[in-house]
Amino acid sequence: GEKCRNIRTGSSPDDIAQAFLDNLYYAQGRIPVLATRNDLYMALAYTVRDRLAARWVAQMQQFRRAELKKSIKVVCYLSAEFLPGPHLGNNLLNLGIYDETRQAMEQLGYNLEELIDQETEPGLGNGGLGRLASCFMDSLSTIVVPAFGYGIRYEFGIFDQEIRDGWQVEITDKWLKLGNPWEMPLPELCQEVKLGGHTEHYQDGQGRSRVRWIPAGVVEGIPYDTPILGYGGNICNTLRLWKAEAVESFDFQDFNVGNYYAAVEEKVKSETITKVLYPNDEPEIGKMLRLIQEYFFVSCSLQDMIRIGKMLGNSPECFDQRYVAQLNDTHPSIAVAELMRLLVDEHDVAWEKAWEITQNTFGYTNHTLLPEALEKWPVELFGQILPRHLEIVYEINRRFLDQVRLAFPGDEEQAARLSLIDESGCRYVRMAHLACVGCHAVNGVAKLHSELLKSEVLRDFHEMFPEKFHNVTNGVTPRRWMALSNPRLAALISGVIGDGWITQLDELRKLEPFADDPAFQEKWRRVKRENKNDLATLILNRTGVAVDPDSLFDIQVKRLHEYKRQHLNVLHIITLYARLKRYPASDCVPRTFVFGGKAAPGYAMAKLIIKLINSVAGVVNTDPDIRGRLNVAFLPDFNVKTGQQVYPAADLSEQISLAGEEASGTGNMKFSMNGALTIGTLDGANVEIREEVGAENFFLFGLKVDEVEELKARGYDPRKYYDSNPALREAIDLIRSGHFSGGNAQLFAPLVDLLMQRDNYMLFADYQPYIDCQDRVSAAFRDQQNWTRMSILNVARMGKFSSDRAVREYCDMIWKVQPV
Ligand code: 26V
C-alpha cells in the first residue's frame, strides 16, 4: 500500500528516517542503542539503495523494450580498473535527497557526514585510468547513454598506504570486510571461461574447416552489479564486475613450464584470478596471472553481451549494431581475438564477417607514451594460456601484413615494425598493435598526447590508418569533484548563477563578471579559507603536522613516479629552506606543501622519493628559524575519499611533469575547477587548461616537448646545470650530505646519483625556470585581490573539462550513438 511505497521510495525527511530505522532493524538486525557506526552506515546505505532500485529496474525494462528493439546501441566500457569512490554521498547527491537525508539523520540524532565517512571506498584501480572510467560512467548516466561498465571485482584493491619512519608501508586493502551494500551478486548470470590446453582442427558436416579449443580447465565468472545513477536520476546504468570461482578442481600445473613462471606459485586456484589488483607502474612481462585476469574479464563480458543480445532476439551477426565497446588502454585488448573466437568458432560466423563486426565494435584509448608501459606478452606464455587466441592473432597478423606489404611494397622494415609480433629478440605479442588493427578508432587523452601518439609511439599505424586516429581530451565529473566535494563553493556559485552548471559546466562562464566584484571575491576567499581549515584539521589528525590555514597551500597529489617529478617540488622546498637559513629575516610568503600518492611496491626510486619528502618535512617542520613559514606534510593513503578533501583546499596545483610524459592528467582539472591556480609545464591537458583559463591565469614554466627532444639529441648533461647553478648545487649537496637524513649520506645516494648522472626527466634543466616561476607565484599570492580574481576566472573557464563533454565526443566521433 501507500505506506509500503513510502518506506522504499519516499524522499521526505520523515520517510527517510522511518526507512532508515526499518533497515537498521530488518536488514542489519539492530536497534539504535546497540548499533555500531557501521550498522548505521549500512542501514542508511540500504535506505538509499532502495531509492535507486526503482530507477535501476526501470532501466533494465527499457533495455528490454525500447532501446535494443529500436536498435539503439549500448556502450560497453571495458576496463581492468574502476575507482568509483565512496557511493553513499554521490548517490544522495544524484538522487537529490542530500538535504532531506541530513535532516532525517539529525532527527534521529546522527551526523550524516560521519556516516558517509564510514564507507570504505572500492579501490579497484591504480589512479588516473581507473578514476577516468568512473567519471565516464557517471557522465554516461547523466547525459542518458545506456551503458555497461565491465571490469574485475578484485577482492583486494590497491593497497592501503601507511607511512612508518618516513617510508611507505603497504597494507592489504580489505574493502569487502564489512560488507558491500552497493553490489548485487547475480550467480545465475555466470559465465564459463576456458584456459590453457590445446586446439583441434577438424572438418564440420558441410566440409568447412573448424577449430575446437580443448582447455586444460574452466573457471566461472560471477557478475556483481553496482548501480550507477545519473545526476537528477535520469537513468541508472550498471557497473558489472566479475569474480572468479572454481567450477571443478583445476590443475594449473600444465602452465608451469618454461622460465616465465618462476615467480608464480605452483598451484594457483581459480579464485586467485580476481584476488588482487596489480599495482601499475611495474613491468608486467611474464606475469601469467595478469594475462589470465585480463582474458577472464574480457571473455565474461563479451559472452554476457552476446547472452543479452540473444535474450532480446538478436543474432551474433548484429553484434556491432547493438554494441560498441571501448578498450580502456590495452588491458582488455585481448577482446579483439576473443570476439573473433566467439563469432567464428562458437557462432559459426565467417572470418571476414566476424572481422568486420569486431572492427566496428571496438575503439581503443591509449593512456601512456611511456615505452615501458606498453603491454606485450611472451608468445610462449600467451600460447600456454590462450592457444586458440595465439592462432587467431597469427591469422589476423597474416592478413594485416599482406595489407601492409600492398601499401608499402618492398618495405620489410615497415612490416616488422607494424607486426603484431615483436620478433626482434624473444618473441612477444604486442597488445597495442592488436588493438590498433582490431579497432575502428584509436584515441589519445589530450591534444598533445594524441599528436605525440601519431608522430611517435603509433607513427607507423597512423601512416597506415590515418582515419582511425582521434583525440578526446579527458574530463572529470563536476558532480563528485565540485558539487559533492566542495559544497561551500557549489553553494556560492549556484547562489549567483543558478545550479545549471552541474550538468552544463560551460555555464560557469557566467561567473566571469563576478571576478572583479570585491564582495564576491570576499565570499570566494572565505570559502577557500574554510576548506583550508578543514584540510588543516585532516593533516593534523593524519600526520601530526600543524599547518597554518593562512599560508599558501601548495599541493601535489598523484601517483609517485619519476616523470611526475615530485622531487623537483622537493628541490624547490629545499631552496626556500636554504634561503631562509641564510637570510632568516627575509620576508617570504608562508607556504604549506602537501604531498600525497602511492608508489608501486616494486618501484624503489618512487619509494625513496616518499622518504625524501618525509625527511625534508622532518627538518623543515621542526627548525625554529623556519617555524610558521614553511611546512611540509605527506598525507598518507591518497585515494578518492582523501582527494575530495584535498582539491577544494588548494591554492596552488603542482602539475610539473616533464613535457611529453604525462598523457593528460585529471587531477590538474580537479584542482583548477576548485579554484586552485596551476603551476605547470606544457604537458598533457595542462596545455588546454592554460588555453581555456588564459595564459595570464596560469603559471607556466619549463622545457617544451620540442626543446626536450632537442636537448636530448644534443646530449643532455645534468652536471653542467649543477656546476653552474649555486642554488641547485646547494640543494643537491644538502641532500647528499645527509642534512635531511640525520647525517646518513648514503640514504639518498641512489636518487642523487641518478640525477647527477642521467636525470632522465630533466629536473636540472627545469630547476631554475621552476624556481623563478614559484617566485612569481609567491609575489602573486601577496596580492590577494588579484589572486582571487584569477581563481574565480580559473573556475569560470573550466567548462571544457567536464567528463560530460568528453563522453559526448566519444558518442559523436567514436561510438556513433546519440544520447537518448
Ligand atoms: C603504467 C606503467 C607500467 C610500466 C611502468 C611504467 C608505467 C607508467 C604508467 C602506467 C599507467 C598507464 C596508464 C595510466 O594510468 N595512464 C594515465 O591515464 C590517465 C587517464 O587518461 C591520464 O590522465 C594520465 O596522464 C595517465 O598517466
Side-chain angles (χ1 to χ4, degrees):
E2 199 56 25
K3 181 92 190 159
C4 181
R5 218 190 65 224
N6 280 347
I7 280 284
R8 297 285 193 176
T9 64
S11 57
S12 72
D14 286 344
D15 288 339
I16 294 169
Q18 186 56 49
F20 170 85
L21 292 174
D22 208 64
N23 274 315
L24 185 62
Y25 190 91
Y26 287 106
Q28 209 55 22
R30 286 283 187 280
I31 53 171
V33 287
L34 295 176
T36 64
R37 226 165 94 117
N38 194 59
D39 290 326
L40 301 173
Y41 160 73
M42 292 294 272
L44 185 55
Y46 287 129
T47 303
V48 173
R49 199 179 80 170
D50 287 341
R51 279 145 186 80
L52 291 171
R55 294 157 221 251
W56 206 12
V57 172
Q59 183 66 37
M60 316 270 184
Q61 287 297 99
Q62 234 168 336
F63 275 138
R64 276 187 167 284
R65 287 196 310 268
E67 263 85 353
L68 290 179
K69 297 201 174 121
K70 277 191 289 178
S71 73
I72 284 172
K73 266 199 263 182
V74 175
V75 173
C76 296
Y77 201 80
L78 270 57
S79 179
E81 304 187 6
F82 286 92
L83 271 176
H87 292 290
L88 177 54
N90 200 248
N91 282 328
L92 290 174
L93 175 75
N94 285 10
L95 280 165
I97 57 169
Y98 207 114
D99 289 335
E100 291 80 354
T101 306
R102 182 187 291 116
Q103 289 169 39
M105 292 301 102
E106 263 166 27
Q107 279 178 25
L108 298 172
Y110 302 121
N111 177 292
L112 176 60
E113 300 306 321
E114 246 171 60
L115 298 188
I116 286 175
D117 196 47
Q118 175 66 23
E119 183 171 349
T120 323
E121 71 175 73
L124 311 184
N126 273 284
L129 171 140
R131 182 52 231 176
L132 186 77
S134 285
C135 281
F136 284 4
M137 289 306 296
D138 178 88
S139 285
L140 283 161
S141 295
T142 298
I143 71 171
V144 194
V145 177
F148 280 95
Y150 278 117
I152 301 173
R153 183 181 176 277
Y154 300 105
E155 188 177 334
F156 305 117
I158 187 73
F159 62 87
D160 293 336
Q161 179 194 56
E162 283 185 11
I163 302 297
R164 294 192 198 144
D165 187 31
W167 295 97
Q168 166 175 297
V169 176
E170 299 96 21
I171 314 282
T172 313
D173 160 56
K174 303 202 181 78
W175 72 288
L176 291 166
K177 192 173 163 195
L178 298 177
N180 176 4
W182 305 106
E183 69 181 7
M184 191 89 93
L186 297 160
E188 285 179 305
L189 301 187
C190 67
Q191 294 291 349
E192 283 202 346
V193 176
K194 299 176 202 166
L195 290 167
H198 63 278
T199 62
E200 286 175 7
H201 293 243
Y202 66 100
Q203 307 275 306
D204 69 8
Q206 287 100 19
R208 286 176 302 183
S209 52
R210 304 293 301 270
V211 183
R212 227 187 332 254
W213 175 11
I214 315 293
V218 175
V219 292
E220 206 163 69
I222 314 287
Y224 284 68
D225 283 7
T226 300
I228 306 291
L229 183 75
Y231 183 77
N234 292 330
I235 63 168
C236 189
N237 282 316
T238 296
L239 175 61
R240 179 162 286 177
L241 304 179
W242 299 94
K243 175 181 194 287
E245 285 193 359
V247 278
E248 55 187 86
S249 74
F250 183 166
D251 194 354
F252 273 75
Q253 210 147 27
D254 289 1
F255 296 148
N256 267 335
V257 288
N259 311 321
Y260 303 119
Y261 320 119
V264 184
E265 285 181 77
E266 263 234 12
K267 288 197 176 187
V268 187
K269 299 259 162 48
S270 302
E271 285 86 351
T272 310
I273 294 175
T274 53
K275 272 279 172 224
V276 64
L277 166 75
Y278 274 96
N280 243 328
D281 305 11
E282 248 180 289
E284 281 167 353
I285 291 173
K287 292 198 176 136
M288 173 172 74
L289 185 59
R290 170 74 179 191
L291 177 59
I292 296 175
Q293 279 186 342
E294 294 180 353
Y295 176 63
F296 165 78
F297 98 88
V298 161
S299 180
C300 287
S301 306
L302 291 175
Q303 292 188 72
D304 190 55
M305 289 158 71
I306 292 174
R307 176 192 61 80
I308 294 170
K310 196 164 159 190
M311 187 178 77
L312 297 162
N314 297 315
S315 88
E317 255 131 75
C318 315
F319 191 85
D320 55 332
Q321 291 159 45
R322 297 292 170 268
Y323 294 113
V324 61
Q326 195 64 23
L327 306 178
N328 199 23
D329 217 303
T330 54
H331 315 146
S333 59
I334 189 64
V336 170
E338 173 67 356
L339 184 57
M340 286 301 287
R341 186 190 70 81
L342 290 168
L343 293 173
V344 172
D345 292 357
E346 300 204 350
H347 292 95
D348 206 7
V349 179
W351 180 280
E352 290 74 13
K353 176 69 185 166
W355 184 238
E356 185 191 314
I357 294 170
T358 298
Q359 284 190 314
N360 285 340
T361 300
F362 293 117
Y364 158 53
T365 305
N366 174 289
H367 295 267
T368 179
L369 297 164
L370 295 184
E372 66 269 35
L374 296 180
E375 279 191 303
K376 49 183 191 171
W377 297 106
V379 164
E380 203 185 312
L381 168 99
F382 192 99
Q384 292 285 336
I385 296 162
L386 304 171
R388 178 56 183 145
H389 297 78
L390 186 57
E391 293 175 351
I392 290 171
V393 166
Y394 282 150
E395 180 59 16
I396 294 171
N397 200 34
R398 190 184 65 75
R399 292 166 183 253
F400 170 57
L401 291 181
D402 281 350
Q403 216 185 325
V404 171
R405 290 184 179 111
L406 263 175
F408 306 94
D411 192 348
E412 272 310 298
E413 275 169 24
Q414 174 81 331
R417 280 197 306 271
L418 282 165
S419 175
L420 304 194
I421 309 295
D422 177 350
E423 317 246 12
S424 57
C426 175
R427 300 172 74 233
Y428 293 100
V429 182
R430 296 159 158 166
M431 301 311 277
H433 292 216
L434 179 60
C436 285
V437 175
C439 293
H440 68 280
V442 177
N443 75 283
V445 290
K447 268 190 211 162
L448 175 67
H449 169 65
S450 295
E451 287 308 313
L452 292 172
L453 268 186
K454 291 192 281 185
S455 64
E456 278 161 33
V457 182
L458 300 177
R459 183 179 55 231
D460 302 312
F461 281 97
H462 180 246
E463 226 181 290
M464 184 82 192
F465 309 117
E467 70 291 344
K468 279 195 191 183
F469 283 77
H470 303 270
N471 171 57
V472 184
T473 299
N474 284 166
V476 302
T477 170
R479 271 73 66 186
R480 182 175 294 273
W481 297 113
M482 294 184 73
L484 181 65
S485 58
N486 200 345
R488 294 186 184 104
L489 190 71
L492 176 59
I493 293 171
S494 297
V496 293
I497 66 168
D499 63 4
W501 60 272
I502 297 176
T503 50
Q504 304 292 332
L505 202 61
D506 289 321
E507 289 190 14
L508 288 175
R509 288 256 174 215
K510 296 182 192 162
L511 283 174
E512 280 195 28
F514 295 90
D516 290 302
D517 173 344
F520 187 76
Q521 286 183 349
E522 186 49 42
K523 291 182 189 157
W524 193 268
R525 269 196 298 276
R526 203 168 309 142
V527 165
K528 183 61 83 180
R529 171 61 207 237
E530 284 173 25
N531 292 343
K532 288 167 74 174
N533 259 333
D534 288 353
L535 182 59
T537 305
L538 184 80
I539 291 172
L540 184 63
N541 292 340
R542 296 255 187 99
T543 70
V545 180
V547 304
D548 171 11
D550 280 325
S551 63
L552 189 167
F553 276 24
D554 176 337
I555 309 189
Q556 187 170 22
V557 285
K558 48 181 79 241
R559 284 297 288 258
L560 265 289
H561 201 291
E562 287 163 281
Y563 84 75
K564 295 176 188 281
R565 304 200 295 191
Q566 280 93 352
H567 45 342
L568 178 58
N569 189 340
V570 174
L571 289 180
H572 173 236
I573 299 172
I574 297 175
T575 302
L576 292 183
Y577 166 80
R579 277 187 203 164
L580 284 174
K581 292 299 281 184
R582 179 155 312 141
Y583 308 107
S586 70
D587 178 27
C588 90
V589 171
R591 286 209 198 203
T592 298
F593 295 90
V594 181
F595 292 85
K598 295 173 186 178
Y603 191 172
M605 196 55 72
K607 291 175 132 178
L608 191 56
I609 294 173
I610 292 180
K611 174 66 176 170
L612 176 65
I613 294 167
N614 284 307
S615 302
V616 170
V619 170
V620 169
N621 295 346
T622 54
D623 188 317
D625 295 343
I626 308 298
R627 186 150 301 153
R629 298 197 280 182
L630 300 181
N631 270 119
V632 183
F634 189 97
L635 254 186
D637 202 37
F638 183 70
N639 56 14
V640 175
K641 199 176 184 174
T642 320
Q644 289 175 207
Q645 297 165 278
V646 166
Y647 297 114
D651 293 308
L652 187 67
S653 156
E654 297 272 353
Q655 308 300 334
I656 60 177
S657 52
L658 177 64
E661 301 289 338
E662 189 70 88
S664 163
T666 45
N668 46 3
M669 301 166 188
K670 295 164 197 166
F671 275 113
S672 183
M673 53 176 73
N674 283 283
L677 305 190
T678 304
I679 181 164
T681 51
L682 277 185
D683 200 15
N686 296 353
V687 177
E688 292 157 78
I689 292 175
R690 178 167 172 269
E691 249 169 50
E692 292 293 309
V693 305
E696 67 284 7
N697 301 307
F698 186 107
F699 295 96
L700 178 72
F701 76 98
L703 297 167
K704 323 268 180 284
V705 170
D706 52 334
E707 292 167 343
V708 168
E709 279 165 13
E710 202 180 303
L711 189 49
K712 275 186 186 159
R714 271 209 319 266
Y716 174 59
D717 180 10
R719 212 172 303 255
K720 270 195 229 149
Y721 296 86
Y722 172 88
D723 289 338
S724 64
N725 188 326
L728 172 60
R729 192 162 59 237
E730 183 175 24
I732 291 293
D733 289 350
L734 275 172
I735 300 174
R736 199 159 34 180
S737 68
H739 185 83
F740 301 108
S741 39
N744 179 351
Q746 287 316 299
L747 184 59
F748 297 116
L751 198 152
V752 173
D753 291 347
L754 192 63
L755 288 176
M756 293 293 290
Q757 284 153 28
R758 301 159 61 95
D759 187 15
N760 293 116
Y761 300 103
M762 299 184 152
L763 279 76
F764 285 13
D766 273 347
Y767 169 81
Q768 197 56 51
Y770 179 55
I771 300 295
D772 295 343
C773 191
Q774 286 285 19
D775 289 340
R776 295 200 298 279
V777 168
S778 290
F781 195 70
R782 289 180 195 273
D783 181 351
Q784 279 290 297
Q785 283 222 336
N786 191 50
W787 184 278
T788 308
R789 179 178 182 279
M790 292 196 283
S791 168
I792 297 169
L793 288 177
N794 261 261
V795 175
R797 297 172 178 175
M798 284 299 286
K800 171 174 171 182
F801 302 99
S802 167
S803 45
D804 299 347
R805 185 270 315 149
V807 164
R808 282 198 189 92
E809 288 182 8
Y810 278 97
C811 286
D812 294 344
M813 270 185 334
I814 294 173
W815 303 334
K816 310 287 181 201
V817 301
Q818 299 276 322
V820 174

